[in-house]
Amino acid sequence: MAQHFLLSAASRTLSLRAIYKGGEDAAYATFCEMRWPETDGEAICPKCGCCDAYKITTRRKFKCKACSHQFSVTSGTIFASRKMDFVDLLAAICIMVNAAKGVSMVQLSRDLDCQYKTAFVLAHKLREAMAQEVQTGEVLTGHVEIDGAYFGGHIRPENVKADRVDRRLKEHQTGKRRVVIALRERVGRTLPFVAMAEGEGVALANENVCRMATVSADEASHWDALHAGWEVERVNHSELYSDHGKHTNMVESFFSRLRRMVAGQHHHVSPQYLHQYANHAAWLEDNRRFDNGELAHRLVANSMGAPVSRNWKGYWQRAA
Ligand SMILES: [Zn+2]
């Protein structure tokens, strides 16, 4: 029997031991190399593009020789104003990419021995960095599967049967229920969105799927509108899951990962952050065949390419 990729030695190329053995200097060098790959980690001024800078080594900062602008390796990126050591940031990235179904932020705070709030913001910044690779704005091509799955807004039934209400009725719902609509190429990318109703997926397909593509969907009636724009294959899930190659199993597999992430790690997700968990699951899904060293490198590179977060920079200062 063929061995599963994640069980093979080839999938393990990075360890926490290696990160901490390398120490702060090696971790810092990794961030520099990922921020400025074109110069092998030599600083480039973010203001004027000059490649010549004085090194202020004691503070790990640079001063541009041309315009005197002072900057650091994380200036203008998602890790701007970081307080955590580079070695801990790298360890956090390693922990995040090793967790195939995500990791709870309490667990991350225990592993890194930092406050829960720090872990919460750090994990969300990393999800924002992953989203750079997921939400590229490029249209999907080839064979694209579309489906939706509902998350959140669970209503606990009352203890006594006589007190229980019909949880399907709108007046008994919390208003926190959302649907994740995912478009997934059979070979390629996964593109998730958050909406109020699954039917909104047709408009999302209009914006994000190439007209030459073939689309697969299940029997739900709102997908009938897809036939106007594409060649569509349908499969009736009440009868079978795969009808001679007509199926939506790839997109279901994405939902399976997201469901396990929400049920097993986060337990509760608020509608305002659901899209980031969906992006996280999509990133893991699309990169599932890479070893963990490659995943960590990608995530560092994504972080160095991601702009300062409008949502997460100074989050707790604002919340206080
Ligand atoms: Zn400059």
Side-chain angles (χ1 to χ4, degrees):
M1 198 180 87
Q3 190 183 33
H4 191 281
F5 172 68
L6 291 182
L7 300 179
S8 70
S11 74
R12 303 186 298 269
T13 55
L14 182 71
S15 68
L16 285 175
R17 185 175 56 184
I19 289 171
Y20 280 104
K21 208 175 165 195
E24 183 69 2
D25 291 332
Y28 177 62
T30 305
F31 278 86
C32 288
E33 281 158 26
M34 291 293 114
R35 172 85 194 259
W36 299 297
E38 58 275 46
T39 55
D40 284 333
E42 290 301 318
I44 301 172
C45 174
K47 209 171 176 187
C48 73
C50 169
C51 294
D52 224 359
Y54 301 106
K55 278 183 188 164
I56 311 170
T57 38
T58 48
R59 290 190 293 141
R60 291 222 162 86
K61 283 203 164 180
F62 302 95
K63 187 176 176 182
C64 175
K65 285 187 183 175
C67 74
S68 301
H69 178 60
Q70 281 197 24
F71 58 96
S72 74
V73 64
T74 55
S75 294
T77 75
I78 199 114
F79 289 139
S81 320
R82 58 154 198 113
K83 295 184 194 78
M84 208 176 244
D85 287 342
F86 285 105
V87 71
D88 289 328
L89 279 181
L90 206 53
I93 284 169
C94 182
I95 291 166
M96 283 284 274
V97 303
N98 282 347
K101 272 95 192 175
V103 59
S104 85
M105 305 186 216
V106 169
Q107 189 177 335
L108 190 61
S109 80
R110 287 175 168 184
D111 284 345
L112 296 173
D113 188 20
C114 66
Q115 276 188 49
Y116 168 76
K117 289 175 164 187
T118 311
F120 180 88
V121 166
L122 175 59
H124 268 298
K125 283 179 177 172
L126 290 174
R127 287 187 195 100
E128 220 168 84
M130 291 174 187
Q132 296 269 311
E133 211 179 310
V134 175
Q135 305 284 344
T136 58
E138 283 171 59
V139 294
L140 302 175
T141 56
H143 199 130
V144 179
E145 298 177 8
I146 185 167
D147 200 13
Y150 283 86
F151 287 85
H154 175 72
I155 311 147
R156 181 180 292 195
E158 290 295 331
N159 180 32
V160 179
K161 193 180 178 192
D163 297 339
R164 289 179 201 161
V165 294
D166 186 345
R167 294 186 287 164
R168 292 167 299 182
L169 296 178
K170 195 161 189 187
E171 63 258 39
H172 296 139
Q173 288 179 357
T174 60
K176 290 184 175 172
R177 200 164 151 80
R178 295 288 183 279
V179 60
V180 174
I181 296 165
L183 302 152
R184 182 166 187 187
E185 291 173 338
R186 286 260 165 97
V187 183
R189 295 164 52 214
T190 310
L191 189 57
F193 298 94
V194 173
M196 295 300 287
E198 198 181 358
E200 293 171 44
V202 176
L204 291 169
N206 274 322
E207 278 172 38
N208 296 289
V209 180
C210 170
R211 289 290 161 187
M212 302 295 285
T214 308
V215 176
S216 281
D218 61 22
E219 72 284 2
S221 59
H222 45 250
W223 300 134
D224 291 348
L226 292 171
H227 289 267
W230 294 270
E231 192 186 320
V232 186
E233 291 183 350
R234 303 289 287 275
V235 58
N236 188 344
H237 282 164
S238 63
E239 287 169 14
L240 74 183
Y241 292 115
S242 176
D243 181 6
H244 300 91
K246 290 180 186 170
H247 65 82
T248 56
N249 291 350
M250 297 285 288
V251 72
E252 301 293 357
S253 140
F254 161 75
F255 284 126
S256 168
R257 188 185 295 262
L258 184 58
R259 286 227 178 275
R260 286 164 176 180
M261 179 185 280
V262 171
Q265 294 294 325
H266 305 307
H267 303 176
H268 168 88
V269 293
S270 70
Q272 104 194 80
Y273 302 134
L274 181 57
H275 70 288
Q276 291 297 35
Y277 297 108
N279 284 331
H280 184 179
W283 189 87
L284 288 168
E285 195 68 40
D286 293 351
N287 292 326
R288 70 197 180 283
R289 286 281 162 184
F290 293 120
D291 60 78
N292 66 347
E294 166 67 20
L295 287 177
H297 264 79
R298 272 173 181 257
L299 190 46
V300 176
N302 291 157
S303 307
M304 293 293 91
V308 177
S309 174
R310 278 195 288 161
N311 293 320
W312 298 110
K313 191 187 173 196
Y315 177 78
W316 293 109
Q317 283 94 320
R318 284 200 302 279

